[in-house]
Amino acid sequence: MRGLSFGISLIALMAGSVAPAAGEGDKGARWWAHVEALANDAMEGRGTGTPGYDRAADYVIGQFKAMGLKPAGTQGYRQPVAFVEQRILSDKSSAALVGPQGEVPLAVPGDLIFGGGGGPVPESVDAPMVFAGYGLHLPEAGHDDFAGLDLKGKIVVVLSGGPATLSGALKSHARSERSQWLAEQGALGLITLVTPRQVEIPWVRRIALSGAPALYYSDVSLRDTQTPFLSAQLDPAKSDMLFAGSGQDFAAIVAAADASAPVPSFPLALRLKAQVSATRADLSSPNLIAVLPGSDPKLRQQYVVLSAHLDGYGVGTPIKGDAIYNGALDNASGVASLLEIGRALKAGKVKPKRSILFAIVTAEEKGLLGSRYFARRPTVPQKSIIADLNFDMALPIFPLTSVTPIGYDQSSLGAEAQAVSAAMNLPITPDPFPDRNVFIRSDQYAFIREGIPALFFKYGFKAGTPEATVEKAWRANIYHSPFDDLNQPVMPAESAKLNDYVTAVTLRVANGAARPTWNADSFFRRFAK
């Protein structure tokens, strides 16, 4: 049973819509046929570095060739990326809170989940803890939760959310950068807490996902942290344990966080004692890069990147007897959309003047690693990349009546999207849940970190609507689970509408007189090169 509330809400919105049979000849059917090819059980969830991923890559390359897109990788269509796979051995790891009353054990992963991304985990930690509020280091914006805290040799504890005075994009950026910044300050690790109201994936499913291997770059210079750094999540139902003896009311802190109000920072009375056991192995997985050369002799030396990630969670912990995490909507759907957009651009009467670079990337689920590698080491001159337009989990599970191009308020790409919205009667709706970190959770953020303006396309909806209820239920019951498969109801015709929208935005950007620029008030202007 995939969640009764999800099923009822979805049926009410879809009114009986089902995926069309492949071969009907319309745009939605072609899109769905790609999803079927990429998310069937034979692809085994497309885990990074697995045979299933390689089979999916072969399918994408076959489509590139059929469309006449030229190879633009370092090895034909491929750009291999070298990783280290790190798997946390929970049964050989342990953790405890240490205080005046002695040691209180934490079950691993029942209470505490260790993260394995970023770099090697430390084998052991025994350190005091400090609570750093929202954990946002933004002195330029007048906010710094770490101000006045002694971080060296500490485990830093932070809470989800952030003050309403800061934009969702800015808060997301600070969260993305904080492990690297904390390691530079001498902190030993980071524990992230989520208030019960802000939980997106139930803890029991977090536990199921914890057995999946993590990845980090083989090249040490590409890693965010150069030394071992501990990262962990704590069961939201037990977060108050960390605050014992601190003299602070954790319930009041949670209420403040849920209201986006100020949250204090202070030392905690307990220490964290942990032993972390892990195995490591080398592996390689490719980004897939193809190019549609531009029609203008001069502008064709500039590139608009269309990105989507091919990888999924592979084969993992079984849920109701199913261990294949097919990743149909996350993100076979996004790759399918890029293939259909490529078809439309190739066949269209209006040709893009600038070149279109298709970047189907690996290891997104492991921390945007494939896109970050490509953005840092692109197969074309980095300064020639003028924009990134990204597809990831667009969720065609309710009618498309508006769009949310994440990042539209940061650069001139927003004006291009707005022009297409006006022409296609698809108004732009702001991100309804800015504290959910969407701004940094997909591959467009890898380009933003390199100073390249970017958009990430989502179905638009507002908080408190039936669509919001359906989307929340999908995340709680389907997201990152074996149930994101080909048996869930979807609306391919609505996906085709979004593909048409992004095709039109791509053409406006590719044929514009000037390359996109950051808005004068955008924090991310500082990354421009």
Side-chain angles (χ1 to χ4, degrees), residues 132-489:
Y134 295 118
L136 305 178
H137 176 65
L138 292 167
E140 307 96 324
H143 183 92
D144 186 5
D145 288 308
F146 302 110
L149 288 179
D150 178 11
L151 302 173
K152 189 172 183 179
K154 304 294 197 306
I155 300 295
V156 180
V157 179
V158 301
L159 187 61
S160 59
T165 54
L166 298 175
S167 71
L170 202 52
K171 287 182 280 193
S172 294
H173 170 72
R175 295 184 192 107
S176 176
E177 302 291 311
R178 66 185 168 202
S179 289
Q180 179 178 354
W181 185 84
L182 286 171
E184 291 171 351
Q185 309 311 305
L188 300 182
L190 175 71
I191 297 176
T192 54
L193 310 178
V194 178
T195 74
R197 282 184 56 187
Q198 296 180 45
V199 167
E200 182 175 321
I201 297 178
W203 185 251
V204 65
R205 289 214 293 110
R206 290 283 186 193
I207 293 174
L209 292 169
S210 68
L215 297 179
Y216 54 86
Y217 294 116
S218 294
D219 187 338
V220 178
S221 68
L222 293 174
R223 300 175 193 167
D224 282 345
T225 56
Q226 305 301 308
T227 57
F229 187 82
L230 186 75
S231 62
Q233 307 169 63
L234 189 69
D235 181 353
K238 299 183 178 181
S239 295
D240 59 342
M241 295 175 64
L242 300 185
F243 295 80
S246 68
Q248 299 285 336
D249 184 351
F250 182 63
I253 293 172
V254 167
D258 286 337
S260 297
V263 170
S265 298
F266 49 86
L268 295 171
L270 304 178
R271 300 174 64 88
L272 177 72
K273 184 178 180 180
Q275 299 287 328
V276 189
S277 180
T279 60
R280 300 176 185 90
D282 294 330
L283 64 78
S284 177
S285 184
N287 294 326
L288 309 177
I289 314 297
V291 65
L292 174 62
S295 62
D296 186 278
K298 293 183 178 179
L299 291 179
R300 72 191 315 170
Q301 302 304 316
Q302 297 179 10
Y303 298 85
V304 177
V305 175
L306 296 178
S307 60
H309 74 89
L310 179 61
D311 65 296
Y313 269 84
V315 178
T317 302
I319 300 178
K320 299 188 184 301
D322 190 352
I324 299 177
Y325 289 61
N326 302 81
L329 298 188
D330 183 20
N331 182 43
S333 68
V335 175
S337 288
L338 257 60
L339 294 176
E340 284 304 295
I341 291 169
R343 176 198 292 268
L345 292 171
K346 194 79 166 57
K349 293 181 180 180
V350 178
K351 302 299 182 182
K353 295 180 180 179
R354 294 180 173 87
S355 297
I356 309 300
L357 205 62
F358 294 81
I360 309 296
V361 297
T362 189
E364 188 271 354
E365 301 291 6
K366 306 301 184 182
L368 316 185
L369 297 181
S371 57
R372 289 178 66 181
Y373 186 89
F374 178 80
R376 294 180 190 182
R377 297 180 178 178
T379 57
V380 299
Q382 190 185 66
K383 289 186 178 180
S384 69
I385 299 175
I386 69 163
D388 172 66
L389 306 176
N390 185 60
F391 249 98
D392 186 4
M393 206 176 82
L395 294 187
I397 56 177
F398 49 78
L400 180 70
T401 58
S402 67
V403 292
T404 299
I406 301 295
Y408 76 94
D409 54 348
Q410 300 296 322
S411 75
S412 61
L413 292 176
E416 306 295 354
Q418 182 62 59
V420 177
S421 285
M424 298 182 70
N425 193 28
L426 287 172
I428 289 177
T429 301
D431 182 2
F433 304 114
D435 280 334
R436 204 159 60 181
N437 280 349
V438 173
F439 187 78
I440 66 167
R441 283 172 59 176
S442 192
D443 294 303
Q444 88 292 340
Y445 182 62
F447 293 87
I448 289 171
R449 287 178 64 159
E450 298 302 314
I452 299 167
L455 296 177
F456 168 23
F457 295 95
K458 306 289 284 185
Y459 277 49
F461 63 90
K462 296 180 180 180
T465 61
E467 290 80 5
T469 299
V470 167
E471 197 261 3
K472 182 178 180 180
W474 189 91
R475 287 178 177 269
N477 295 288
I478 308 297
Y479 180 47
H480 286 177
S481 83
F483 305 136
D484 181 13
D485 59 17
L486 298 173
N487 297 315
Q488 60 186 310

Side-chain angles (χ1 to χ4, degrees), residues 110-123:
D111 299 329
L112 190 73
I113 295 173
F114 293 121
V121 293
E123 293 182 1

